[in-house]
Each structure stands twice: as C-alpha cells, then as structure tokens.
Amino acid sequence: MKSTLPPSTTLITTIVPSKQLNTSDAYRRAPNANSLSMPFLEQPKNLDGSMAGDVGFDPLGLSEIDDLGIDLYWLREAELKHGRVAMLAATGVIWVEGFGPLPGWPEADGRSQMDVFWDAWEEHPNAICAGIVFITAIELISGVATTMGRKTGERAPGDFGLNPLQFEITEELALKEIKHGRLAMWAVMGQIGAGLMTHEPAFGNLDKIFS
C-alpha cells in the first residue's frame, strides 16, 4: 500500500514496513531526545529508533545526507549488504584455515589467506573473473531493486525475498542480523589488515594475542 506522506516522512516510516516487522511505537524515541549511544549529544533527526540496531550513533551526520541518490534508505541497504558479505567472508577465512580449501585450490601452508589469494589468481584467473562478473550482475539487479523500493516505499532495505527456510521476520531477528553484520565487518578488516602485515593465518595471529 502506497503512503500519502511526504517523501522524507515516507522514507523514515517505511525503512522497516509493518508487513515485515511488527514495529512497536515503544522502540521509537521522541524528537530532540538524547542519543542512546552518545547521551551527551542529541539524537540525529532521522534516527528515531524505528530501524533495527538504531541507537542514535551517527557522529559524522551520514544519516542526514540526501544528495546524489544517497539517503537513509540507501545507506541502510549498503550497511546490510556489506554486513552480509562480511559474515560470509569472515566465515570463509575461518573455514579454509580450519578445514582446508576446495579441491584443486592452493593450500595456505601456514600463510595468510591474503597471500594465498594471489596463488589462486595465478592458478584460477578465469574463476575469479567469473566471480567478479557475477557480483557485478548482482549489484546491477540490487541497484534496480533499491531504486524502485525507495520510490514506492513498499520494500524494506536489503529485502530480496530470499527466505528458503521460511523464518519469521521479527524485530529480534533483524537486530541479530545487523549486529552480527557490523561485528563481521570489523572482523574482516582485522583479518585482512593483520594478514597483510604479518603474512600469517588468522588463527596464528589470534594465538599470538593470547600467548
């Protein structure tokens, strides 16, 4: 159902449509309230607590950008997408170090996965290029979905209708996804940064921290 509210209001109220989440008014914060994450600052005007994981943390004022096709809807879409990719990437690094690569792919032999990537590039350049093409196609499709969803207000950011196990989409589940995604983005940055600097596997770097 299309909203008759002004575009800016529609954006905020449809970030999580009621047909997907039973958003309660109890989760919304009053205007001019203090930020939950930074109580000494006023909460950003576009972050009213209605989005999963919104604790009013926006010291750079990114939530107020509304130019060049970038707005709060687009930013939440990007956050969810990067969080999901990061969860897969972090899990992938741990899986390969714990159980080894797929048959035919280079072994780490005690090296960082960042170094192993260049071995994979030399041995399987076509597979990596195919992956880049596939990702490009997904980005184009998701770009259209994001643009249309922002215009109609009938699609929540990150919603591609992919739910093969038919999980009930609840506020709790949405909060877990965004929290795990944010944590995974930090984890991947740590894995990449440490791997490039030490050239050792993630488990090896972790062991050094506690040794």
Side-chain angles (χ1 to χ4, degrees), residues 8-76:
S8 60
T9 306
T10 303
L11 169 65
I12 305 303
T13 56
T14 59
I15 288 293
V16 184
S18 59
K19 66 181 180 180
Q20 296 190 11
L21 294 180
N22 297 320
T23 304
S24 170
D25 290 339
Y27 288 89
R28 298 178 182 272
R29 294 188 290 277
N32 301 321
N34 288 342
S35 166
L36 291 179
S37 59
M38 306 177 73
F40 51 88
L41 294 178
E42 186 177 312
Q43 72 176 27
K45 64 180 181 180
N46 289 337
L47 301 181
D48 63 354
S50 59
M51 291 192 301
D54 172 18
V55 290
F57 182 79
D58 185 21
L60 300 180
L62 299 179
S63 63
E64 297 181 15
I65 296 177
D66 190 10
D67 193 16
L68 300 176
I70 300 176
D71 55 18
L72 187 58
Y73 184 100
W74 187 91
L75 291 171
R76 172 44 66 106

Side-chain angles (χ1 to χ4, degrees), residues 105-141:
W105 287 78
E107 295 279 350
D109 294 327
R111 294 177 298 156
S112 163
Q113 291 299 315
M114 309 310 117
D115 295 330
V116 177
F117 170 80
W118 297 112
D119 293 344
W121 173 257
E122 291 181 1
E123 296 179 17
H124 304 282
N126 292 337
I128 294 177
C129 288
I132 294 173
V133 171
F134 176 75
I135 292 171
T136 301
I138 294 297
E139 284 296 300
L140 291 173
I141 295 172

Side-chain angles (χ1 to χ4, degrees), residues 135-153:
I135 292 171
T136 301
I138 294 297
E139 284 296 300
L140 291 173
I141 295 172
S142 65
V144 173
T146 302
T147 301
M148 296 302 297
R150 181 167 48 188
K151 287 182 178 179
T152 63

